[in-house]
Amino acid sequence: CITGAGGSIGSELCRQILKYRLKKLIIIDNSEPSLYKINEELKNLVDNKVEVIPLLCDLCDYNYLRKIFNQIQINIVFHAAAYKHVPLVEQNPIAGIKNNIFSTKNICQLSYENRIEKVILISSDKAVRPSNIMGASKRLSELIFQSYADECSKEKLNTCFSMVRFGNVIGSSGSVVPLF
């Protein structure tokens, strides 16, 4: 399962993961055009053995997300969904905080409850000593992941919560490289 599948990082994860043997690829995004675009692209990349399931979903909608997790067996979650454009999040701090933090909490809680094998957060280098709302929201997302990892460790559960930080990804929609 890839959240934020229509974004630049999420869509590349989709392309790369399709190279491995899997039965289903669940792609989730809250942007209809982005989800449509990656779904159409993936249709041309997959053979009939891989079922691609596109889901238009606001990850802050816990009940809908819970329904998805309960109905579809998920082994691995790549949580790439986030608002990552610093200027937009600075101008819309409530939306950035809501999306980045509450979506992460929901993903973690449902992964914990459903004993998902691996849950990976795609974070940002802006989470290191954050100086803006977006960075702070990503840092809080990391802390949420760490608390779930600690809880699973204490309870000796097999769910593995991990994270990776990306810097400016050239060609990504949030990169400042084209701006410079």
Side-chain angles (χ1 to χ4, degrees), residues 6 21 35 41 50 62-63 71 81 120 122 124 138 154:
R21 294 180 186 165
L35 186 62
E41 180 184 336
V50 180
Y62 182 82
N63 291 325
Q71 289 180 347
I120 301 103
I122 309 301
S124 167
K138 293 302 286 178
K154 281 185 219 171

Side-chain angles (χ1 to χ4, degrees), residues 6 12 14 22 52 58 70 79 106 111 113-115 155 158:
E12 187 59 30
C14 292
L22 61 145
V52 177
D58 176 355
N70 289 339
H79 182 42
N106 289 345
S111 296
E113 288 174 10
N114 289 277
R115 304 299 190 248
E155 293 184 29
N158 289 330

